[in-house]
Amino acid sequence: MRPPEARGEISDLVLQRLLGGSAAELDPTVAARAARRSSNLLEDDDLQLALFLLYELHYGGIAGVPDDLEWEPAVLGFRRELERAYEAELRELIPQPHATRDVPEALFALVEASDDGPGLSTWVERDATIDQVREVLVHRSIYTLKEADPHSWAIPRLHGRAKAALVEIQADEYGGGRADRLHAEIFAKTMRTMGLDDHYGAYADHVPALVYSSMNLMSMFGLQRRLRGAIAGHLAAYEMTSSIPCKAYAAGFRRLGLGDEAADYFDEHVEADAVHEQIAARDLGGGLAEDEPQLADDLLFGASACLTVDGRLWGAIRGAFEAGGSLLRKEL
């Protein structure tokens, strides 16, 4: 991706270092102090962008940034302070669910409890304008143009039934061997159909901190073996809350006359994620809890974190729409 604009002191330091500055500039104590000063890390534009950029080194990288910085100790130390603070805030914000029952049933209960009213997909289905639909796609693009990648970090960290379930889900996400059916590619096609730039990170300067919070949550869970339960729980919740909203999104696209090609991405997920829901809850979540019972609480924490962070993001977008505004930082 192209380097985005800095949003404050910390993201500026990160960009300067990645694009050729001194390694000494990334002092972990600076990151730790900035995190302590933040009154709301979840919505802190500067710190969430900085963390996103540091995680991006483990994905497709950033234009102009040498690949060997991925494992630069000073870069990793700086990132570690930001993610420590982010994890601590999440654990304080999100009540820790405990596996007092069968884990799949606990996952279904968490999802059911999170459904507290009409969401963004309902707005798109019934009320959204074409400009609002375009905005929704822009907010989704930071994750969806590399859909499934953060969860794939968990594959070598799982075993047996849980690994088989994860690979089954991911195989579908990656198109079942067909490049044109990669879910990220189908989404890119939808963006092009809507007159949007489908290059990864094209709208990095447009989206708010909550978009980066959502992406950083997945990266933090996926990149750390100790959080393998959390990334499995995150994927379970993600898949279990996808099919019905995607049906609503597809209906909204057709209501606006956008046609089958524009709705293809959401149509693809209606059937696939209805199947994935059971696999994710019973085989991925249930299988991992059986193999490693000590991860059961982390599984539920990852699911709860997914529902909380994404719920805040989609709720904030709908709230802006209902007020006649936008959550974008820049006009398209």
PDB file of all heavy atoms in Angstrom, residues 290-304:
ATOM      1  N   GLU A 290     -11.790 -28.608  23.095  1.00  0.00           N
ATOM      2  CA  GLU A 290     -11.576 -29.998  23.504  1.00  0.00           C
ATOM      3  C   GLU A 290     -10.083 -30.324  23.559  1.00  0.00           C
ATOM      4  O   GLU A 290      -9.618 -30.988  24.479  1.00  0.00           O
ATOM      5  CB  GLU A 290     -12.273 -30.945  22.525  1.00  0.00           C
ATOM      6  CG  GLU A 290     -13.784 -30.974  22.665  1.00  0.00           C
ATOM      7  CD  GLU A 290     -14.436 -31.872  21.632  1.00  0.00           C
ATOM      8  OE1 GLU A 290     -13.703 -32.614  20.934  1.00  0.00           O
ATOM      9  OE2 GLU A 290     -15.676 -31.835  21.519  1.00  0.00           O
ATOM     10  N   ASP A 291      -9.329 -29.860  22.550  1.00  0.00           N
ATOM     11  CA  ASP A 291      -7.897 -30.158  22.497  1.00  0.00           C
ATOM     12  C   ASP A 291      -7.103 -29.383  23.537  1.00  0.00           C
ATOM     13  O   ASP A 291      -6.153 -29.909  24.116  1.00  0.00           O
ATOM     14  CB  ASP A 291      -7.338 -29.819  21.104  1.00  0.00           C
ATOM     15  CG  ASP A 291      -7.798 -30.800  20.043  1.00  0.00           C
ATOM     16  OD1 ASP A 291      -8.290 -31.871  20.415  1.00  0.00           O
ATOM     17  OD2 ASP A 291      -7.658 -30.473  18.844  1.00  0.00           O
ATOM     18  N   GLU A 292      -7.487 -28.120  23.749  1.00  0.00           N
ATOM     19  CA  GLU A 292      -6.758 -27.252  24.674  1.00  0.00           C
ATOM     20  C   GLU A 292      -7.765 -26.520  25.567  1.00  0.00           C
ATOM     21  O   GLU A 292      -8.068 -25.345  25.339  1.00  0.00           O
ATOM     22  CB  GLU A 292      -5.884 -26.252  23.910  1.00  0.00           C
ATOM     23  CG  GLU A 292      -4.848 -26.907  23.008  1.00  0.00           C
ATOM     24  CD  GLU A 292      -3.899 -25.900  22.384  1.00  0.00           C
ATOM     25  OE1 GLU A 292      -3.001 -25.410  23.104  1.00  0.00           O
ATOM     26  OE2 GLU A 292      -4.069 -25.585  21.188  1.00  0.00           O
ATOM     27  N   PRO A 293      -8.297 -27.203  26.572  1.00  0.00           N
ATOM     28  CA  PRO A 293      -9.360 -26.611  27.404  1.00  0.00           C
ATOM     29  C   PRO A 293      -8.965 -25.293  28.059  1.00  0.00           C
ATOM     30  O   PRO A 293      -9.838 -24.458  28.333  1.00  0.00           O
ATOM     31  CB  PRO A 293      -9.618 -27.698  28.462  1.00  0.00           C
ATOM     32  CG  PRO A 293      -9.068 -28.954  27.896  1.00  0.00           C
ATOM     33  CD  PRO A 293      -7.964 -28.566  26.988  1.00  0.00           C
ATOM     34  N   GLN A 294      -7.667 -25.092  28.267  1.00  0.00           N
ATOM     35  CA  GLN A 294      -7.217 -23.846  28.897  1.00  0.00           C
ATOM     36  C   GLN A 294      -7.437 -22.633  28.006  1.00  0.00           C
ATOM     37  O   GLN A 294      -7.335 -21.486  28.471  1.00  0.00           O
ATOM     38  CB  GLN A 294      -5.732 -23.952  29.283  1.00  0.00           C
ATOM     39  CG  GLN A 294      -4.740 -23.844  28.131  1.00  0.00           C
ATOM     40  CD  GLN A 294      -4.521 -25.141  27.353  1.00  0.00           C
ATOM     41  OE1 GLN A 294      -5.279 -26.107  27.529  1.00  0.00           O
ATOM     42  NE2 GLN A 294      -3.496 -25.153  26.521  1.00  0.00           N
ATOM     43  N   LEU A 295      -7.760 -22.860  26.715  1.00  0.00           N
ATOM     44  CA  LEU A 295      -7.986 -21.743  25.784  1.00  0.00           C
ATOM     45  C   LEU A 295      -9.466 -21.365  25.680  1.00  0.00           C
ATOM     46  O   LEU A 295      -9.803 -20.444  24.939  1.00  0.00           O
ATOM     47  CB  LEU A 295      -7.461 -22.099  24.391  1.00  0.00           C
ATOM     48  CG  LEU A 295      -5.959 -22.369  24.275  1.00  0.00           C
ATOM     49  CD1 LEU A 295      -5.594 -22.671  22.820  1.00  0.00           C
ATOM     50  CD2 LEU A 295      -5.141 -21.193  24.793  1.00  0.00           C
ATOM     51  N   ALA A 296     -10.324 -22.044  26.418  1.00  0.00           N
ATOM     52  CA  ALA A 296     -11.761 -21.804  26.259  1.00  0.00           C
ATOM     53  C   ALA A 296     -12.141 -20.356  26.560  1.00  0.00           C
ATOM     54  O   ALA A 296     -12.899 -19.732  25.807  1.00  0.00           O
ATOM     55  CB  ALA A 296     -12.554 -22.757  27.154  1.00  0.00           C
ATOM     56  N   ASP A 297     -11.614 -19.797  27.642  1.00  0.00           N
ATOM     57  CA  ASP A 297     -11.953 -18.405  27.968  1.00  0.00           C
ATOM     58  C   ASP A 297     -11.422 -17.445  26.920  1.00  0.00           C
ATOM     59  O   ASP A 297     -12.079 -16.449  26.578  1.00  0.00           O
ATOM     60  CB  ASP A 297     -11.412 -18.035  29.352  1.00  0.00           C
ATOM     61  CG  ASP A 297     -12.286 -18.576  30.483  1.00  0.00           C
ATOM     62  OD1 ASP A 297     -13.343 -19.176  30.194  1.00  0.00           O
ATOM     63  OD2 ASP A 297     -11.905 -18.401  31.662  1.00  0.00           O
ATOM     64  N   ASP A 298     -10.216 -17.719  26.393  1.00  0.00           N
ATOM     65  CA  ASP A 298      -9.670 -16.859  25.343  1.00  0.00           C
ATOM     66  C   ASP A 298     -10.503 -16.940  24.069  1.00  0.00           C
ATOM     67  O   ASP A 298     -10.656 -15.943  23.351  1.00  0.00           O
ATOM     68  CB  ASP A 298      -8.209 -17.225  25.041  1.00  0.00           C
ATOM     69  CG  ASP A 298      -7.227 -16.259  25.697  1.00  0.00           C
ATOM     70  OD1 ASP A 298      -7.687 -15.367  26.444  1.00  0.00           O
ATOM     71  OD2 ASP A 298      -6.010 -16.392  25.457  1.00  0.00           O
ATOM     72  N   LEU A 299     -11.010 -18.107  23.757  1.00  0.00           N
ATOM     73  CA  LEU A 299     -11.916 -18.255  22.610  1.00  0.00           C
ATOM     74  C   LEU A 299     -13.104 -17.308  22.747  1.00  0.00           C
ATOM     75  O   LEU A 299     -13.453 -16.577  21.807  1.00  0.00           O
ATOM     76  CB  LEU A 299     -12.439 -19.686  22.542  1.00  0.00           C
ATOM     77  CG  LEU A 299     -11.721 -20.699  21.671  1.00  0.00           C
ATOM     78  CD1 LEU A 299     -12.082 -22.110  22.096  1.00  0.00           C
ATOM     79  CD2 LEU A 299     -12.091 -20.487  20.203  1.00  0.00           C
ATOM     80  N   LEU A 300     -13.706 -17.307  23.917  1.00  0.00           N
ATOM     81  CA  LEU A 300     -14.877 -16.463  24.136  1.00  0.00           C
ATOM     82  C   LEU A 300     -14.494 -14.992  24.200  1.00  0.00           C
ATOM     83  O   LEU A 300     -15.263 -14.132  23.750  1.00  0.00           O
ATOM     84  CB  LEU A 300     -15.598 -16.905  25.404  1.00  0.00           C
ATOM     85  CG  LEU A 300     -16.119 -18.344  25.396  1.00  0.00           C
ATOM     86  CD1 LEU A 300     -16.867 -18.652  26.687  1.00  0.00           C
ATOM     87  CD2 LEU A 300     -17.019 -18.603  24.187  1.00  0.00           C
ATOM     88  N   PHE A 301     -13.312 -14.703  24.723  1.00  0.00           N
ATOM     89  CA  PHE A 301     -12.860 -13.310  24.733  1.00  0.00           C
ATOM     90  C   PHE A 301     -12.670 -12.803  23.302  1.00  0.00           C
ATOM     91  O   PHE A 301     -13.079 -11.688  22.956  1.00  0.00           O
ATOM     92  CB  PHE A 301     -11.552 -13.162  25.509  1.00  0.00           C
ATOM     93  CG  PHE A 301     -10.949 -11.793  25.386  1.00  0.00           C
ATOM     94  CD1 PHE A 301     -11.540 -10.695  26.019  1.00  0.00           C
ATOM     95  CD2 PHE A 301      -9.819 -11.569  24.616  1.00  0.00           C
ATOM     96  CE1 PHE A 301     -11.000  -9.423  25.897  1.00  0.00           C
ATOM     97  CE2 PHE A 301      -9.273 -10.303  24.490  1.00  0.00           C
ATOM     98  CZ  PHE A 301      -9.869  -9.223  25.128  1.00  0.00           C
ATOM     99  N   GLY A 302     -12.047 -13.609  22.442  1.00  0.00           N
ATOM    100  CA  GLY A 302     -11.850 -13.208  21.054  1.00  0.00           C
ATOM    101  C   GLY A 302     -13.171 -12.969  20.346  1.00  0.00           C
ATOM    102  O   GLY A 302     -13.321 -12.004  19.585  1.00  0.00           O
ATOM    103  N   ALA A 303     -14.153 -13.836  20.613  1.00  0.00           N
ATOM    104  CA  ALA A 303     -15.481 -13.657  20.011  1.00  0.00           C
ATOM    105  C   ALA A 303     -16.123 -12.377  20.524  1.00  0.00           C
ATOM    106  O   ALA A 303     -16.684 -11.590  19.750  1.00  0.00           O
ATOM    107  CB  ALA A 303     -16.356 -14.866  20.329  1.00  0.00           C
ATOM    108  N   SER A 304     -16.045 -12.150  21.830  1.00  0.00           N
ATOM    109  CA  SER A 304     -16.653 -10.959  22.419  1.00  0.00           C
ATOM    110  C   SER A 304     -15.970  -9.690  21.919  1.00  0.00           C
ATOM    111  O   SER A 304     -16.624  -8.676  21.660  1.00  0.00           O
ATOM    112  CB  SER A 304     -16.566 -11.046  23.946  1.00  0.00           C
ATOM    113  OG  SER A 304     -17.284  -9.993  24.549  1.00  0.00           O
TER     114      SER A 304
END
